[in-house]
Amino acid sequence: WECQVPVFTSGYVKSMETQERWGWHKEQLEAFEHGSFVEWVLRKLGVMLMSTLAFFLITSVTSLIVRVLTSSGVVLMFPLFTCFRSLGMPGANERILSLSYPWIGSARVAIANRHVHPQSHLVWAHVTKIILYYVMYEACQAAWSVVLYAKSIPEALPVWIYGFAMIWEYFSMVFVRSALSAHFFPRLTFLYFLLYHIYFYSIPYGYFDVALIPLFLFMLHAMLYTILGLEAPNAARGVVNVECPREVYNRLSWHEPVAALPAEWTMFLPLNSRLSPLHDRVSDTPTNDANNNDRWEGDGNAAAG
């Protein structure tokens, strides 16, 4: 490193290897070493607020792009299966895709029956949506990094943070299926994210890139524990199975067609229902006891299924 100016004056240092520049000014550094107790408390409250805001913004925009990639990206499978059939490959039946992704399959069936527009319009509409949302996702990274990481940081640090959030989202979508995992994994990832950003906001220039290594290791530990310690035992007990792929879910107060996806804003609704396997449910049927008094069998959870 080559220092350009003395410490505690405005200036910067530059890495001759990576060409990164680390700038500072006198007031910024003195704020971490001087000030009253009230200023210290307010600064710590600001650190907590900024860390929580960063977690909300980064995970929200990441979950949105993952949902769009999952819902609209599958549209490319249909023309791909069409190419397979034209090449004479057996088993390339679109019926399987239509049943797996009804919001695409039902639209293709309606287009084939009514001939309002060709099938390619549906494909290109979803592809355009994917491109637009991904550009918006990248724009959010660039814009929010200026606000959330508004100081000299290692190169590509926001990219690593967003990458970790993407891993968390895909892991939750694929592996987090039991009630214990849904309660444990999001809270632990929030704790790890919060601890890293408390360190980031509390120190003017720390080992931010090196601190990503223990963050990744703790994240890996949480994912392994979720699979081996929570999901595997619940799958062995039959809590998570073919009939009940997810133990907890978000139950809406209105009817949603099977061939439609819920609106994006439903991602922010908390989980409110717990699903039990079909053979474990007890119907709420009235029976008569010895005194001919009506009573009800089962509990309120049976209705949630």
Side-chain angles (χ1 to χ4, degrees), residues 167-183:
I167 295 175
W168 295 337
E169 188 63 31
Y170 274 110
F171 179 84
S172 299
M173 181 178 63
V174 176
F175 294 104
V176 177
R177 298 180 176 271
S178 64
L180 288 176
S181 297
H183 180 83

Side-chain angles (χ1 to χ4, degrees), residues 12-250:
Y12 68 90
V13 293
K14 179 180 179 181
S15 173
M16 306 306 296
E17 179 179 355
T18 64
Q19 301 301 315
E20 293 175 308
R21 293 185 178 185
W22 296 69
W24 73 88
H25 53 84
K26 182 179 180 181
E27 292 77 11
Q28 180 185 16
L29 296 179
E30 288 182 345
F32 286 90
E33 296 188 355
H34 305 284
S36 63
F37 176 76
V38 176
E39 293 176 346
W40 180 85
V41 172
L42 293 177
R43 187 164 60 248
K44 296 303 179 184
L45 291 177
V47 167
M48 292 293 296
L49 179 61
M50 286 296 296
S51 301
T52 305
L53 178 63
F55 181 82
F56 171 75
L57 293 177
I58 293 175
T59 55
S60 296
V61 72
T62 302
S63 62
L64 179 60
I65 189 62
V66 168
R67 182 166 184 170
V68 170
L69 293 175
T70 305
S71 60
S72 295
V74 296
V75 75
L76 300 177
M77 296 294 295
F78 289 89
L80 185 62
F81 268 51
T82 303
C83 294
F84 289 161
R85 286 198 307 273
S86 63
L87 296 176
M89 296 181 61
N93 191 352
E94 283 192 9
R95 185 174 181 274
I96 301 176
L97 291 177
S98 299
L99 294 176
S100 302
Y101 312 105
W103 60 91
I104 302 293
S106 60
R108 288 177 60 86
V109 172
I111 292 173
N113 294 334
R114 300 182 181 181
H115 302 285
V116 177
H117 50 76
Q119 297 282 358
S120 60
H121 287 188
L122 176 67
V123 175
W124 284 111
H126 280 278
V127 171
T128 304
K129 177 183 177 182
I130 294 173
I131 295 174
L132 176 61
Y133 271 80
Y134 189 78
V135 171
M136 293 170 59
Y137 172 72
E138 292 291 337
C140 287
Q141 288 193 41
W144 292 346
S145 296
V146 176
V147 178
L148 300 177
Y149 306 104
K151 61 181 180 180
S152 297
I153 56 176
E155 188 177 6
L157 177 64
V159 177
W160 282 104
I161 299 297
Y162 277 88
F164 288 167
M166 185 74 72
I167 295 175
W168 295 337
E169 188 63 31
Y170 274 110
F171 179 84
S172 299
M173 181 178 63
V174 176
F175 294 104
V176 177
R177 298 180 176 271
S178 64
L180 288 176
S181 297
H183 180 83
F184 167 79
F185 185 74
R187 289 167 172 79
L188 191 60
T189 53
F190 172 66
L191 176 62
Y192 291 157
F193 187 96
L194 192 67
L195 291 177
Y196 177 85
H197 281 74
I198 288 176
Y199 170 71
F200 177 84
Y201 291 121
S202 299
I203 298 178
Y205 303 102
Y207 298 97
F208 302 136
D209 50 351
V210 179
L212 291 174
I213 299 176
L215 176 62
F216 173 78
L217 295 178
F218 280 119
M219 178 183 70
L220 183 62
H221 168 265
M223 293 189 293
L224 291 176
Y225 177 77
T226 300
I227 296 175
L228 301 178
L230 301 179
E231 289 298 329
N234 282 289
R237 291 196 300 266
V239 176
V240 178
N241 49 45
V242 177
E243 297 176 354
C244 180
R246 293 190 184 274
E247 189 178 2
V248 289
Y249 64 99
N250 187 0

